[in-house]
Amino acid sequence: MTIRYEEDHRQHSTRPTRTTVDSAHAKRTRGEDPAPSPHHEFNGVPANYREINGWGADLDPKNRPSFPMEYPSDVKTARGPVKHWQQPHTKIHQSNEHPGLTPVFGEAVPPHGLSGLLRDYAYQYGEGTTRHWMTLMLADRVDIVESMVVDAFRGRPDNYVKEKAWSAKIKYADAEQRRRYLYYGAAALGAIAVGITLSRVFADHED
Amino acid sequence: MRAMTYRGPFRVRVETKPDPEILHPNDAIVRVTRAAICGSDIHLYHGLMADTRVGQTFGHEFIGVVEEVGPEVDNLKAGDKVLVPFNVCCGTCYFCSRGLYGNCHNTNPNATAVGGIYGYSHTCGGYDGGQAEYVRVPFANFGPTIIPDDIDDDDALMLTDALPTGYHAAQMGDIQEGQTVVIFGAGPVGIYAARCAWLMGAGRVIVTDHLDYRLEFVSRYGPAETINFTHLKDPVVYFKKITDFVGPDVCIDAVGCDASGSMLQALAGFHLKLQAGNAVALHWAINSVRKGGTVVIIGAYGPPYNLVPIGSAMNKGLTIHANQAPVKRQLPRLFEHIRNGYIKPSEIITHRFPLEDIAEAYRVFTSKLDGCIKPIVMPTAA
Ligand SMILES: NC(=O)c1ccc[n+]([C@@H]2O[C@H](COP(=O)([O-])OP(=O)(O)OC[C@H]3O[C@@H](n4cnc5c(N)ncnc54)[C@H](O)[C@@H]3O)[C@@H](O)[C@H]2O)c1
Ligand SMILES: [Zn+2]
Ligand SMILES: [Zn+2]
């Protein structure tokens, strides 16, 4: 017995041919949609995908700018040629998977306080360890509390309402959200009214 | 200068900070004329990225005018209008020399797993970002690209990250003619990925999200078939059904760690912090794609790890392609596509805010208010 190989046995696609496309479209127009959800929308997609503006412009891999993913290169060292090195002004934390500082780096926020000590600890461990990342997450939380206290003393206290932009929630709310706020508002007013009444009642009893 | 600063989860404000300085002979200082907020900034805003320090200025999508250059910068001069790719990269290290500009080894001392990124936590190099009046741009000889006269500013801004990323997502799908591509997420990245999937020759493009207004937009802009996953009992089964039980050829995760759609994933990711955010979209992508198919991870996840069905990826013989987009490599081709009218990037911009109102911009974008798809901020009076 001989096994016959099809000329092109690979299945390229779940919708490989013009015929499949046309029949799928015909099915849809007949209401026999393979997509059973009534929420599945086909608006704007032409029956023949080749009609789409720009279709296939980059079908040829030669037109795809990152193909292949890697260029050939004869650079063999991790850093390659480096002419100048930035000098640090503050403490720069460094992954222990780097042999030293990188030629450039950011100095956005120098480490400080308890969160800084936690970061020192975290950076002793490699990027493959949970301890490294979880300690940094913890340090971030400590940093938030520290900065809140420090900035309050510096005369730049946190303004939660403004920083969280609660105003936007109202300003840009849609009708449904507005209605929800109205309900919350009404409920809050109701609660206050009940509270006042109850306190009056109890106050009356004390008399 | 005035600059956005991070205060803690869900809180940002605008402060006066010292102007940036040239710290290396290859640096430039850029005066920002427009900056955008990216879906990646949402992860920082929610406090999901390790080593995000209070006081850092975010922003890795910006264009501007060169104010000053270091002594070694010879291809830019003060006054040049530039778009700055979000990757801080040297162009000459082991990885850059191979074209992996999103994986530069010379710009991020804090980690080797990720390259340098402007305004993206100290895990990505500790750089202040572009949601400010001025930014320091390292390796200015290599990264910044002069904006051609026929490319308008809003388009140029989208070319710093969102469009090259969407394009890269489609490209990493290795799409062959007629293939079916499912894209999870109808944010800027997913929308551009849908448009670009056609350029690569796709035969069918389907986008899923839970926000109808975004689905409506992508259905026209892609164009694309759309489905709101909250109407589906099981999205994975659904994608099998609509592809004659084969499964889509390519699934693209354009959501990342701020996904919604699974209580368990959200509990483990957001509340208990036992994984880097919510990985439900990637979970769906791996399960939906056909055997032998390709899963593209373009959505961002922080370290250390996530709950995904890696065993099924093996059993199904999947190819997984993932990376930070090497923006600089995509630019020449994307300029051509814009000129040919194949894509108009600025059409996704829905909101403009002055820098001083950036807290509102973050709120509107992250809470998906007012039909927001892409908000931009205008730092200078210009
Ligand atoms: N790799 C890169 O180079 C790169 C560059 C830029 C952005 N990104 C990442 O891409 C992702 C998307 O960015 P964006 O700007 O479009 O953000 P976005 O937040 O605007 O978009 C995400 C979309 O996903 C939707 N979504 C949430 N859960 C979902 C689910 N389970 N299934 C399907 N959709 C779901 C959301 O409703 C939203 O519309 C982010 O994670 C971002 O960090 C990566
Ligand atoms: Zn981004
Ligand atoms: Zn490099």
Side-chain angles (χ1 to χ4, degrees), chain B residues 191-269:
Chain B
I191 292 170
Y192 287 141
R195 177 89 274 271
C196 296
W198 297 119
L199 304 183
M200 310 278 162
R204 191 173 180 193
V205 176
I206 306 161
V207 182
T208 186
D209 199 297
H210 63 110
L211 300 171
D212 283 326
Y213 76 89
R214 288 185 169 202
L215 290 174
E216 204 276 317
F217 181 87
V218 72
S219 76
R220 286 177 288 111
Y221 188 88
E225 295 171 38
T226 56
I227 178 72
N228 184 325
F229 68 78
T230 56
H231 296 310
L232 304 173
K233 218 161 57 199
D234 183 340
V236 173
V237 175
Y238 185 74
F239 291 122
K240 296 280 168 63
K241 263 190 198 162
I242 62 167
T243 51
D244 283 334
F245 295 92
V246 173
D249 304 283
V250 179
C251 280
I252 297 176
D253 167 5
V255 179
C257 61
D258 268 292
S260 42
S262 160
M263 257 153 64
L264 181 67
Q265 287 263 3
L267 177 72

Side-chain angles (χ1 to χ4, degrees), chain B residues 90-93 96 104-105:
Chain B
C90 71
T92 51
C93 69
C96 288
C104 179
H105 210 65

Side-chain angles (χ1 to χ4, degrees), chain B residues 111-131:
Chain B
T112 57
V114 56
I117 302 178
Y118 294 96
Y120 209 74
S121 83
H122 277 253
T123 293
C124 297
Y127 297 93
D128 269 329
Q131 289 160 10

